[in-house]
Amino acid sequence: RLVAPLAYRVERLRELFKMTEYEAERSIKDIDRAKHDFIKEYFDANIEDPHLYDMVLNVAMGKDKITEIMKNALQVKFL
């Protein structure tokens, strides 16, 4: 699972979609709520439960670090 702090996510949406801070935060919260509700409804699970995932990575670390971590984890798991 990939996660990121709210401030990081807001800034990314503002850059990508030219949104105001309010619009970006509102959009993120709406999407998060929809994801939470979907997982709860169809899988009776909490999307925030880290035990449901093999890995939880914070994308604020940067794509190079994330890529390296994922590459190493896949090698360990499948080789």
Side-chain angles (χ1 to χ4, degrees):
R1 177 168 191 229
L2 299 176
V3 299
L6 180 59
Y8 177 90
R9 297 169 68 197
V10 166
E11 189 56 34
R12 292 288 295 150
L13 276 187
R14 290 185 71 204
E15 290 172 7
L16 291 171
F17 299 106
K18 307 300 182 217
M19 296 177 154
T20 66
E21 184 174 348
Y22 174 81
E23 291 169 328
E25 189 170 332
R26 184 85 241 136
S27 180
I28 289 166
K29 288 180 178 182
D30 289 346
I31 291 167
D32 286 351
R33 188 177 318 104
K35 288 178 183 178
H36 176 272
D37 293 349
F38 178 86
I39 297 299
K40 184 66 176 168
E41 174 75 22
Y42 292 101
F43 300 102
D44 193 28
N46 180 353
I47 197 170
E48 300 294 328
D49 183 356
H51 296 100
L52 298 176
Y53 308 97
D54 289 330
M55 267 192 304
V56 178
L57 300 172
N58 185 338
V59 297
M61 288 189 288
K63 64 182 173 185
D64 291 339
K65 285 184 182 179
I66 294 292
T67 302
E68 188 66 26
I69 291 168
M70 291 175 76
K71 178 182 157 190
N72 291 336
L74 289 170
Q75 287 175 342
V76 168
K77 186 168 182 164
F78 294 110
L79 294 180

